[in-house]
Each structure stands twice: as C-alpha cells, then as structure tokens.
Amino acid sequence: MKIEYYHDSKYGNGAAVAEEFKHQMAAKGASVNIHAVKDSDAKQLPPADLYVFSSPARLGSPTSSVTSFLEELDLPEGTKYAIFTTESAPAPDKKTGKVPTDEELSKRQRVIARMNSILQGKGLSKVAEGKVHVIGIKGPLEEGWKKKVAAFADSISGQ
Ligand SMILES: Cc1cc2nc3c(=O)[nH]c(=O)nc-3n(C[C@H](O)[C@H](O)[C@H](O)COP(=O)(O)O)c2cc1C
C-alpha cells in the first residue's frame, strides 16, 4: 500500500505524528511519503492507494492553508482518504470542573467536519479519521499519543 500524507504543522506536533504513522505503517508493509501542504501542489498529487490529510485546529477549523489545499485538489471520485488532526487537549470547564465530552466539543470544534465536507463534496471516499491532542498550543503531544497513531494505522491497514 502506498500512502501520501499531507500536513500543515507549525510547532512540529503534527509532523511528529506523521513520522510515527510512517514508522508504524512501515511495520505493516505500507510506504508513507510525508509532505507539507505549503510545499505541495494540490493539482499534482502523486498516485497513491490512500491520501492522509492532517491539520492543526485554528479557531475550531482547519488552517487556511489546509482548507485551500483541499479545495484545490483534483482527484478522481472515489479516491480514498483519511483525516488526522492535532487539537488542544480539552480543558475542564472553569465553573463545573468537568472536561467537555466529544459531543459537546464537536459543536465548536469543526476541524474534521470541515475537512470531510470539502473532500466528500468532491466525491472522495473516507476510510478513517482521528485526532491527537496536544497540551496547550505548542505541545507536547498528549501522553499515550502513539497508541492513538496505532489505532489510526490499524483502521487504515484493514482497508
Ligand atoms: C491561532 C491559534 C488558534 C488555535 N485554535 C485552536 C482551536 O480552536 N482548537 C484547538 O483544539 N486548538 C487550537 N489551537 C491549538 C492547535 O491545535 C495546536 O497549536 C496544534 O495542534 C499544534 O500542532 P503543530 O505543532 O503541528 O502546529 C490553536 C493554535 C493557534 C496558534
């Protein structure tokens, strides 16, 4: 399986996730080429069995670079893709002390939803999605993040 992986990592956390994914997929016999969206031409992606698109959260959305990149993609309908984001670990509510649930977060955190909406609007076919948390804005990555990468890699290698 040949995978092309596109990220837009500012502080290096998303880039580290990409490298770990590559390492884990190599153990499953799959090759992963990692690219920064800023250095890539969305109209000329190399052929692949699957494309992974990864963005950090920016005010609840993907970065503007990722959004434009996805909007410019020119891939055949049915092309397989997966999404992997980095987002700040949810902080407990200041009044209640409760950490918001995924459902509560999804109301304001639309990173994956927006990426899916663009890609599915182009007729692409989703095989997996996931996210890894970072502590604060710059990281580091959350404890146990490699297990999240492993779960993501497992959901892809089954395809
Ligand atoms: C201007 C700005 C806005 C951000 N907005 C959000 C946000 O809405 N939700 C969130 O979870 N993280 C937000 N973050 C934190 C990013 O998720 C975090 O910086 C990123 O995942 C780190 O990945 P990177 O090291 O690959 O750049 C924001 C960061 C910046 C700099």
Side-chain angles (χ1 to χ4, degrees), residues 70-145:
L70 299 183
E71 284 171 350
E72 284 168 22
L73 286 175
D74 194 9
L75 292 168
E77 277 194 26
T79 297
K80 288 182 181 176
Y81 77 90
I83 289 177
F84 211 19
T85 63
T86 56
E87 305 183 15
S88 288
D93 183 278
K94 281 184 186 135
K95 282 187 194 149
T96 64
K98 281 190 188 158
V99 176
T101 62
D102 268 357
E103 198 186 347
E104 285 159 351
L105 273 178
S106 68
K107 288 178 193 147
R108 55 178 195 266
Q109 197 82 318
R110 309 285 300 154
V111 192
I112 293 177
R114 286 199 205 290
M115 292 171 77
N116 273 325
S117 159
I118 299 169
L119 295 168
Q120 286 170 9
K122 290 174 178 282
L124 272 56
S125 175
K126 182 178 75 178
V127 301
E129 65 181 35
K131 69 179 149 190
V132 178
H133 286 132
V134 304
I135 309 304
I137 298 284
K138 296 186 178 175
L141 288 155
E142 66 181 318
E143 211 183 308
W145 66 276

Side-chain angles (χ1 to χ4, degrees), residues 1 3 21 24-30 50 52 80 82 127-128 149-159:
M1 185 189 241
I3 298 172
F21 176 75
Q24 293 194 17
M25 290 307 286
K28 297 173 188 290
L50 173 86
V52 179
K80 288 182 181 176
V127 301
V149 178
F152 183 69
D154 282 348
S155 61
I156 283 175
S157 63
Q159 297 300 312

